[in-house]
Amino acid sequence: MIRIENMVKTYGSIRALDGLSLNVEPGVVYGFLGPNGAGKTTSMRILSGLARADSGRAWILDKEIGQPGADVRALIGVLPEEPAFYSWMTAREYLRDFVAPLYQLHGQVAAKRTDELLDTVGLKEAANRRIGGFSRGMRQRMGLAQALIHRPPVLLLDEPVSALDPAGRKEVLDLIETLRGQTTILLSTHILADVERVCDVVGIIAKGRLIVQDRRDDLLARYVTPLFEIESDNGFGNWLEWVRKQPFVTNVSVLNSTVRVLVRDVHQAQKVLLESLAREALSVRRFEVVHPSLEDVFLRLTEKEA
Amino acid sequence: MLRTLIAKEFREQWRTWKVIVFLVVFLITGMISPVLAKYTPELLKSIPNLPAGLAGIIPPPTLADSVAQYLKNTSQFGILLVILLTMGVMAQEKERGTAAMLLTKPVSRSAVILAKWLTGMTIIAAGLAVDGLACFAYTAVLFEGLPVGPFLLMNLLLVVYLGVYLTVALLASTLARSQAVAAAGSFGGLVILIILGSLPRVDDYMPDKLATWGSSLVLKGDINAWPALGVAAGIIVLALVIACLRFEREEI
């Protein structure tokens, strides 16, 4: 559905993409992960026709980008990281009178689709307000609405929830969930929680190259070291000595009333740790499996590359 | 697609009051030009302690003075307004990110430029219509009726004349990535055209000559400026082509 082969893009002495290759299967939500400056936005810009690669090739729905007569823009919906609008237009005008006709949607069809989308993204009440007065979160939702107006088979979303509050974030991720299977989505983000929530496949990019691409569950199982955080009201006593000796434990650290236990096998650890805590009759206030941040995974992967 | 883009441009000009300011200034220019032509000699004569005999040599106002005032005011205010109206149109879209939003949709980049150019030219034509009608009416009241056909032709020449500045400003706005650079480029283009228009022999080929030709048409003179018209049309076409080619290749 989306394929990039050996793509290179330089800006002066900066090599934004350094032989990037990736493949997105139809219908999946592909999490495009990486720190700032990794090349995510550059890739998105090339796929959406705003920039040209120095070398390498890319296809969307078997149409090669940049080739004469292969305009893929009618097939994609794009949400840039910071969507920009004409501040003097209302939300309804922007969608119904400007964006929809560019996709050959006119009259009642455009009006109906506009109302539908404004409702979907939670902007129904603000439909007749000027976009210039919208908050950043509202603009992000508006950006999503304009990307969806023509029901594109492919969506390119660049950090779609980074500007949203927790409630807005949930709503947008829920919306993306509903598109799973019908739309192929390339979603760039630097937040692991978003990936865990909605992505089927994950590609991690650093310094313009794809470091790893795998199904989400396989990747998390492979690279994310599970960590247990346990809090107790009456201390841990001898339990700490016992837990340090367990073969599935790789590290134990204590900070105030919280113990952090790094393990190899999360399922075994969960069972054994809970049983042992009960046996010792410790007054456990919190027992939680914590996933390390993307930065931790990312550092491990880049260290491995080096 | 072009229709949608043009509709957006007109709506933008209207909502941001630009077109209203443009039309009002042109209306005032059209009204005030014959009035100034009529009463300037009177005002001069009324200056206290005017040297003896000077009042006698101030000629009485004529139709030619009204036409000259109209051409002078329209070109001065017109050029300034056209540049101010146009210099930000492309640079602003790039600077604010709306160009990036637009170009991910199935639109031709040349169509974006053409929509802005056609809108600008239409606003110039509307401005000159308001300007011309006001001048026509006031001149008829204060002097005598202007010949309709030649006056219309003169205004068509003014459309081309102002169109040159519009297209140069549009080119500058397309080449620039910020509004400040676009403004510098637009006024730089204006300065170059003024300098070229003031050079002997070269001035016959410059757009300024179109105003002289227009005046001659109305006042039944024998001046024409076909070469200047050709050069003006050439500048417009060339600037548009360069703007389109440049924008087609630009990374947003």
Side-chain angles (χ1 to χ4, degrees), chain B residues 58-80:
Chain B
I58 293 174
T62 64
L63 186 73
D65 294 319
S66 180
V67 173
Q69 274 290 346
Y70 175 74
L71 285 170
K72 191 182 81 175
N73 295 335
T74 299
S75 46
Q76 280 175 357
F77 288 117
I79 289 170
L80 195 65

Side-chain angles (χ1 to χ4, degrees), chain A residues 4-8 20 53-59 64-65 67:
Chain A
I4 296 177
E5 274 183 10
N6 208 22
M7 191 168 276
V8 174
L20 177 73
D54 299 338
S55 63
R57 301 164 78 185
W59 294 261
E64 185 168 356
I65 290 160
Q67 293 302 306

Side-chain angles (χ1 to χ4, degrees), chain B residues 30-31 33 36 51 58 72 108 111 152 160 182-183 219 224-225 231-232 237 252:
Chain B
M31 284 159 52
S33 297
L36 279 173
I58 293 174
K72 191 182 81 175
S108 142
L152 194 65
V160 178
L219 301 172
N224 71 55
V231 169
V237 172
I252 304 299

Side-chain angles (χ1 to χ4, degrees), chain A residues 56-76:
Chain A
R57 301 164 78 185
W59 294 261
I60 290 181
L61 287 161
D62 295 327
K63 286 192 172 188
E64 185 168 356
I65 290 160
Q67 293 302 306
D71 192 350
V72 298
R73 293 177 300 171
L75 307 170
I76 61 174

